[in-house]
Amino acid sequence: MKKIMIIDDELDILDVLERFLSKQQEYEISTYSNPIDAINDAKNRKYDLILSDIMMPQVSGIDILKELKKLNGNTKIILMTAYSTSQKKETAEQLKVDAYIEKPFQDLKSVQNTISSLI
């Protein structure tokens, strides 16, 4: 079973993604609304994929990406944002993010397809 971590300060997003992906019964899902807790967990557990929001109050998704890449360079990372800019996309590409998803999602099936293509 593949392990996925979802990090987002919006509890509704965490809930929707967790419920949808859990139905697939292919994934073990861990969710975090606090990115500091997520980073601490990633120090102790190996994840196949991490899905993280970019804009969060405590730590940005870009900073999370940098930290998680140091911990395990093999973990696939998808960044999500409702406030997409070319600068954010460029920074994500420079950091070798595996996928970039804009919120609101067009549909959850496209999110699942992105995840499936990576793991």
Side-chain angles (χ1 to χ4, degrees):
M1 186 169 289
K2 301 289 184 178
K3 292 181 183 168
I4 296 177
M5 175 188 285
I6 305 170
I7 311 165
D8 200 312
D9 61 319
E10 294 180 50
L11 298 179
D12 291 344
I13 297 286
L14 285 178
D15 185 53
V16 166
L17 286 171
E18 180 180 26
R19 282 199 272 149
F20 179 76
L21 294 172
S22 293
K23 287 180 185 176
Q24 314 311 313
Q25 298 181 351
E26 302 172 40
Y27 311 119
E28 178 184 320
I29 311 290
S30 298
T31 60
Y32 292 91
S33 59
N34 182 326
I36 306 298
D37 292 340
I39 290 169
N40 288 333
D41 181 46
K43 290 176 181 175
N44 300 312
R45 293 181 60 186
K46 184 181 182 302
Y47 286 92
D48 297 291
L49 184 134
I50 296 173
L51 188 62
S52 177
D53 189 20
I54 291 179
M55 300 285 289
M56 290 181 281
Q58 302 95 334
V59 180
S60 80
I62 299 295
D63 291 334
I64 291 170
L65 173 64
K66 290 176 185 176
E67 187 66 29
L68 294 173
K69 285 284 188 184
K70 282 190 247 174
L71 293 173
N72 185 350
N74 295 327
T75 300
K76 301 294 182 187
I77 298 181
I78 300 173
L79 290 181
M80 306 178 287
T81 187
Y83 307 100
S84 184
T85 66
S86 58
Q87 181 183 4
K88 284 181 188 170
K89 284 182 181 178
E90 188 177 308
T91 301
E93 286 173 13
Q94 289 171 354
L95 294 169
K96 298 189 178 12
V97 68
D98 296 288
Y100 189 88
I101 297 174
E102 293 186 23
K103 295 188 290 186
F105 309 122
Q106 289 183 342
D107 61 72
L108 290 173
K109 188 71 176 160
S110 65
V111 175
Q112 181 191 2
N113 290 340
T114 301
I115 290 170
S116 296
S117 73
L118 293 173
I119 56 175

